[in-house]
């Protein structure tokens, strides 16, 4: 008899656990995988073609975890900095751009005013530090990001260093739709890593 009661209790607990997982997903509206903090995690790059305006404006505020030169995470939300393009981590100046953004954000509270969201669930936001400095503008002034006029309206173009587009030729190529340049660069990297 005790054996039978034990099996019933285990069955009920399993049913409640599964039911809780399912109802937890439906309450959120959609499943969003957790943001991983390990170094192997590489988020997909922002895709301008899939970006869409959000229906409501919201603001996030808190400490920022830096992913690369134009992407951060605040309160478990991955954010793409508004209006700029920084090199990818495996591109020239990619590591330098990331560490410059880390330096700007370290110990600071970052405020993100969300304006868009792409299909990958990442938000696009204008991010500012407590003293009012715009992170996008700071990265452009440092010569580690370039203005993306299609999205910024050219607001950061005047802040670009004279050699920025030459240094970040891959980002410039992406903005001009020359993705074959990226493909050639990636192919050379793969070939070099095999040797």
């Amino acid at each position: 008899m005790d054996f039978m009661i034990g099996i019933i209790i285990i069955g009920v607990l399993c049913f409640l656990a599964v039911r809780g997982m399912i109802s937890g997903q439906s309450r959120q509206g959609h499943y969003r995988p957790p943001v991983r903090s390990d170094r192997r995690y590489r988020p997909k790059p922002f895709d301008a073609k899939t970006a869409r305006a959000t229906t409501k404006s919201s603001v996030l505020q808190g400490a920022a975890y830096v992913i690369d030169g134009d992407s951060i995470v605040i309160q478990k939300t991955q954010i793409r900095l508004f209006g700029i393009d920084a090199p990818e981590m495996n591109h020239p100046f990619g590591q330098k751009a990331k560490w410059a953004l880390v330096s700007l954000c370290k110990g600071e509270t970052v405020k993100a005013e969300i304006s868009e969201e792409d299909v990958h669930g990442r938000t696009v936001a204008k991010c500012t530090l407590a003293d009012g400095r715009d992170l996008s503008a700071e990265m452009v002034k440092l010569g580690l990001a370039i203005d993306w006029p299609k999205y910024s309206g050219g607001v950061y173009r005047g802040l670009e260093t004279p050699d920025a587009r030459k240094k970040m030729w891959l980002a410039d190529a992406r903005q001009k739709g020359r993705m074959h340049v990226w493909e050639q660069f990636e192919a050379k990297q793969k070939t070099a890593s095999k040797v």
Side-chain angles (χ1 to χ4, degrees):
M1 187 68 162
D2 290 334
F3 178 75
M4 196 64 151
I5 292 173
I7 292 194
I8 291 172
I9 291 173
I10 290 173
V12 169
L13 290 175
C14 288
F15 171 77
L16 292 174
V18 169
R19 185 171 180 249
M21 288 176 11
I22 293 170
S23 65
Q25 272 187 328
S26 65
R27 268 187 262 133
Q28 291 176 337
H30 65 284
Y31 175 73
R32 212 179 254 202
V35 176
R36 293 175 49 189
S37 61
D38 64 64
R39 293 179 185 193
R40 292 172 293 161
Y41 175 65
R42 291 187 53 164
K44 294 177 183 174
F46 176 76
D47 186 352
K49 293 176 186 172
T50 62
R52 57 182 163 75
T54 57
T55 55
K56 60 183 176 183
S57 177
S58 62
V59 176
L60 289 175
Q61 195 164 334
Y65 171 81
V66 176
I67 296 172
D68 60 24
D70 54 19
S71 301
I72 60 176
V73 174
I74 299 175
Q75 296 180 14
K76 298 182 182 179
T77 301
Q78 186 175 339
I79 298 168
R80 176 87 159 63
L81 298 183
F82 166 78
I84 64 167
D85 197 10
E88 300 301 320
M89 291 296 289
N90 63 331
H91 293 177
F93 298 95
Q95 294 281 334
K96 191 172 183 178
K98 175 185 178 172
W99 291 109
L101 189 54
V102 166
S103 179
L104 285 167
C105 294
K106 188 174 184 177
E108 297 281 339
T109 298
V110 178
K111 179 180 175 184
E113 296 177 33
I114 299 168
S115 59
E116 296 175 308
E117 185 176 310
D118 69 14
V119 295
H120 302 293
R122 292 168 306 187
T123 58
V124 178
K126 184 172 184 180
C127 298
T128 54
L129 299 172
D131 63 7
R133 287 183 293 159
D134 178 351
L135 284 178
S136 294
E138 294 300 311
M139 289 300 290
V140 173
K141 285 193 267 183
L142 290 170
L144 295 169
I146 56 176
D147 178 56
W148 198 328
K150 181 177 178 180
Y151 301 102
S152 72
V155 78
Y156 302 113
R157 186 65 186 239
L159 302 175
E160 286 183 10
T161 59
D163 63 341
R165 291 199 174 258
K166 187 175 183 179
K167 281 187 348 188
M168 288 167 276
W169 54 277
L170 285 165
D172 187 53
R174 170 172 46 193
Q175 288 184 14
K176 293 175 180 170
R178 298 184 313 202
M179 292 308 292
H180 67 281
V181 174
W182 275 54
E183 292 163 4
Q184 291 170 353
F185 180 83
E186 297 287 332
K188 284 181 184 177
Q189 278 193 324
K190 285 180 184 175
T191 303
S193 67
K194 290 180 182 178
V195 174

